[in-house]
Amino acid sequence: MSLRMLRVCELLKRELGTIIGREMKFEAPLVSVRAVDVTPDLKQAHVAISAIGTKWQKEQAILKLTEKRQHLQHELSRRVILKYTPHLHFDLDESIERGTRVLSLLEEIEATLPPDEPTEEIDSGGSDNSKG
């Protein structure tokens, strides 16, 4: 991905996060824009949404964002000047939950392992090379 595309993605992510944070209320306690991936022609944008809450609350957040897509695109076109305002597609990003699950599995594995035994340091005594 070119530097320009990265800058466009970050700009869209920042502006969408601001618009969503200011103008929308959700059932889920925390909804945020995790990433934006724009197609090379800048006509489509896949927005990864991170939501904390129950499965129903997350689904409601995606539904609400999808319903308000045109309004969000309009607000985005007022803030970001591009030849084409990308058509927004919202997807639920569950990478935080997967990370939390991996950490809990690692903790379970660590709990089943025997405790570490202290290791004895072996001093050979003859490794001193300084002769005087």
Side-chain angles (χ1 to χ4, degrees), residues 101 111 117:
R101 179 162 159 57
E117 296 179 12

Side-chain angles (χ1 to χ4, degrees), residues 8-17 36 38 76 80 82 86:
V8 168
C9 290
E10 283 300 314
L11 180 63
L12 293 177
K13 175 185 157 190
R14 185 182 67 208
E15 292 300 325
L16 267 176
V36 174
V38 180
L76 195 60
V80 179
L82 293 171

Side-chain angles (χ1 to χ4, degrees), residues 53-78:
T54 64
K55 185 177 180 179
W56 180 80
Q57 290 173 329
K58 294 175 185 176
E59 290 172 356
Q60 290 300 311
I62 295 296
L63 279 174
K64 190 168 188 175
L65 286 169
T66 304
E67 289 173 0
K68 299 286 185 177
R69 181 190 56 79
Q70 287 184 337
H71 171 71
L72 292 171
Q73 282 183 210
H74 177 70
E75 287 298 317
L76 195 60
S77 70
R78 292 178 55 197

Side-chain angles (χ1 to χ4, degrees), residues 45-130:
H46 296 273
V47 183
I49 298 294
S50 176
I52 294 177
T54 64
K55 185 177 180 179
W56 180 80
Q57 290 173 329
K58 294 175 185 176
E59 290 172 356
Q60 290 300 311
I62 295 296
L63 279 174
K64 190 168 188 175
L65 286 169
T66 304
E67 289 173 0
K68 299 286 185 177
R69 181 190 56 79
Q70 287 184 337
H71 171 71
L72 292 171
Q73 282 183 210
H74 177 70
E75 287 298 317
L76 195 60
S77 70
R78 292 178 55 197
R79 294 172 178 240
V80 179
I81 306 299
L82 293 171
K83 185 174 181 180
Y84 303 105
T85 300
H87 184 90
L88 302 174
H89 302 275
F90 295 100
D91 300 317
L92 189 60
D93 182 25
E94 298 182 358
S95 62
I96 294 175
E97 290 180 0
R98 286 193 305 261
T100 304
R101 179 162 159 57
V102 168
L103 288 176
S104 67
L105 288 173
L106 288 174
E107 287 177 0
E108 287 178 17
I109 291 171
E110 186 178 351
T112 60
L113 293 175
D116 290 338
E117 296 179 12
T119 59
E120 295 180 18
E121 292 186 24
I122 300 173
D123 187 21
S124 62
S127 63
D128 191 19
N129 293 335
S130 62

Side-chain angles (χ1 to χ4, degrees), residues 12-61:
L12 293 177
K13 175 185 157 190
R14 185 182 67 208
E15 292 300 325
L16 267 176
T18 302
I19 295 167
I20 289 170
R22 286 186 183 166
E23 297 184 8
M24 298 184 77
K25 300 287 182 202
F26 298 97
E27 297 290 330
L30 179 63
V31 176
S32 62
V33 177
R34 179 117 169 82
V36 174
D37 188 23
V38 180
T39 57
D41 60 1
L42 299 176
K43 290 184 178 178
Q44 307 288 324
H46 296 273
V47 183
I49 298 294
S50 176
I52 294 177
T54 64
K55 185 177 180 179
W56 180 80
Q57 290 173 329
K58 294 175 185 176
E59 290 172 356
Q60 290 300 311

